[in-house]
């Protein structure tokens, strides 16, 4: 099922207390964000700068929290144990570093699982970390927040996609112009599909290694995207011009790494890269031709991600079919960066208010 809205991006959330496990100091203390997804657990700690923020620590681990969720409707014991272990590692990092503000969110796996809330209560009891389950709309808005700096003055609209582990989020974005130029972009529509690399890998992963199975997934995803397109006339806007296609996920960054022939993946070379879609399409063909063994050996893939690459590529191919554009902006950033940006903006606003008193 699809969901669409036509609302402005919400205000930054209220100040979030640091976790019980963290040392809290003011002044130059850092900000921290945790994103617990269907496939990964990620932590980012950063300090604000005049131009954004500087990363001072990070953590990422594949936990496969959504393993078996599509069949059972519940988080499996082993999956919860893996995620809990990763979150304990995050808590240990936070306990050793001053943190001014902190936010932690959980996405599709905990949204869908009947025991998702109970699992997060367990995490709070074990680690002191309080994770908040966010809606699909807020997930899309946070992705937009993180990628907003990649927009350019000539952009009227942006179409941002995030191919996650348990879902794919599409954000349709208006870029303010005229007297409102320079204001934050607006989320005017979003789509959340319960089709991510983990769910597709479990359901059709083996088939994605065949031409027919891959095309079946492309057809399924494209059908949902076409419904969203009819509501928002995105294809028509693309033909008029001024629409930027942006992708943030392991799928699109992998395609960029292959297209750029990187001997090993390097984030600074990929984040913000404007890639010709023809080159990305050729990279997709190269990945498909490698097969399972070749993907495991590829420096931009590796054995841990073999099962997820082609399902993600099928989602990307559906996006390209429904919304053909000449170029794509690749973003190696996501929810953590969006949360950090919001927290730092809220801190600056609060500081100005204190100064006015």
């Amino acid at each position: 099922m699809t969901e669409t809205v036509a609302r402005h991006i919400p205000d930054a959330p209220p100040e979030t207390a640091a976790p019980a496990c963290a040392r809290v100091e003011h002044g130059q203390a850092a900000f921290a964000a945790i994103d617990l997804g269907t496939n990964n657990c990620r932590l980012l700690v950063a300090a604000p700068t005049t131009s954004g923020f500087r990363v001072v620590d990070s953590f990422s681990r594949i936990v496969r929290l959504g393993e078996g969720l599509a069949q059972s409707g519940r988080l499996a014991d082993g999956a919860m144990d893996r995620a809990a272990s990763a979150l304990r590692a995050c808590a240990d990092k936070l306990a050793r570093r001053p943190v001014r503000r902190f936010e932690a969110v959980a996405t599709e796996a905990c949204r869908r699982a009947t025991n998702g809330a109970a699992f997060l209560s367990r995490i709070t009891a074990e680690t002191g970390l309080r994770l908040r389950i966010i809606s699909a709309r807020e997930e899309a808005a946070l992705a937009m927040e993180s990628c907003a700096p990649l927009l350019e003055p000539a952009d009227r609209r942006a179409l941002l996609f995030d191919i996650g582990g348990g879902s794919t989020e599409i954000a349709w974005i208006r870029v303010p112009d005229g007297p409102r130029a320079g204001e934050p972009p607006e989320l005017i529509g979003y789509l959340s599909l319960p089709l991510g690399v983990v769910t597709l890998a479990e359901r059709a992963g083996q088939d994605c290694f065949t031409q027919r199975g891959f095309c079946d997934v492309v057809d399924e995803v494209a059908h949902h995207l076409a419904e969203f397109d009819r509501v928002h006339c995105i294809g028509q806007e693309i033909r008029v011009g001024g629409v930027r296609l942006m992708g943030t996920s392991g799928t699109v960054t992998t395609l960029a790494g292959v297209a750029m022939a990187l001997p090993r993946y390097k984030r600074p070379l990929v984040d913000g890269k404007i890639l010709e879609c023809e080159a990305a399409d050729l990279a997709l063909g190269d990945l498909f031709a490698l097969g399972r063994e070749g993907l495991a050996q590829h420096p931009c893939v590796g054995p841990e991600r073999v099962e997820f690459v082609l399902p993600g590529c099928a989602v990307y191919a559906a996006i390209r079919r429904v919304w053909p554009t000449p170029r794509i902006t690749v973003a190696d950033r996501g929810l953590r960066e969006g949360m950090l940006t919001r927290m730092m903006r809220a801190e600056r606003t609060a500081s100005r208010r204190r100064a006015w008193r």
Side-chain angles (χ1 to χ4, degrees), residues 221-297:
V221 176
H223 171 75
H224 292 291
L225 299 181
E227 293 179 2
F228 186 67
D229 181 78
R230 281 191 287 271
V231 173
H232 295 283
C233 302
I234 298 170
Q236 181 178 329
E237 293 281 2
I238 289 173
R239 289 188 289 273
V240 171
V243 176
R244 179 176 296 273
L245 179 65
M246 308 173 74
T248 171
S249 67
T251 296
V252 72
T253 55
T254 297
L255 287 171
V258 174
M260 297 165 67
L262 297 180
R264 55 177 296 185
Y265 184 81
K266 293 185 178 181
R267 182 185 184 276
L269 297 178
V270 172
D271 184 46
K273 172 72 174 178
I274 299 176
L275 190 66
E276 295 295 323
C277 283
E278 182 177 346
D281 295 345
L282 290 173
L284 189 159
D286 291 342
L287 288 171
F288 186 84
L290 285 173
R292 191 184 306 276
E293 185 174 330
L295 289 172
Q297 296 174 359

Side-chain angles (χ1 to χ4, degrees), residues 28-107:
Q28 295 302 312
F31 294 69
I34 290 176
D35 167 21
L36 178 62
T38 302
N39 198 40
N40 292 277
C41 176
R42 299 183 176 99
L43 164 72
L44 196 62
V45 183
T49 65
T50 55
S51 59
F53 57 78
R54 173 179 56 87
V55 175
V56 296
D57 201 359
S58 64
F59 172 88
S60 180
R61 182 182 296 175
I62 294 176
V63 296
R64 300 195 185 195
L65 180 60
E67 184 177 46
L69 174 61
Q71 290 75 36
S72 69
R74 295 176 56 83
L75 301 176
D77 290 343
M80 289 190 289
D81 289 343
R82 290 193 297 269
S85 174
L87 288 166
R88 281 193 293 272
C90 292
D92 289 343
K93 280 181 171 288
L94 291 171
R96 296 192 298 268
R97 185 178 297 279
V99 174
R100 186 175 182 87
R101 291 194 183 197
F102 166 80
E103 187 171 8
V105 301
T107 57

Side-chain angles (χ1 to χ4, degrees), residues 173-196:
I173 300 163
R174 177 191 292 123
V175 183
D177 59 1
R180 299 182 57 222
E183 293 183 9
E186 301 167 351
L187 181 64
I188 55 177
Y190 79 95
L191 167 70
S192 181
L193 293 177
L195 300 171

Side-chain angles (χ1 to χ4, degrees), residues 9-10 139-149 151 160 171-174 184-188 338 342:
I9 182 171
E139 189 172 350
L142 284 169
M144 178 185 72
E145 183 96 38
S146 70
C147 295
L151 295 170
L160 171 65
W172 179 228
I173 300 163
R174 177 191 292 123
E186 301 167 351
L187 181 64
I188 55 177
R342 280 189 177 180

Side-chain angles (χ1 to χ4, degrees), residues 15 17-26 29 94-95 97-101:
E15 181 167 349
C21 59
R23 294 191 293 126
V24 182
E25 295 181 12
H26 295 286
L94 291 171
R97 185 178 297 279
V99 174
R100 186 175 182 87
R101 291 194 183 197

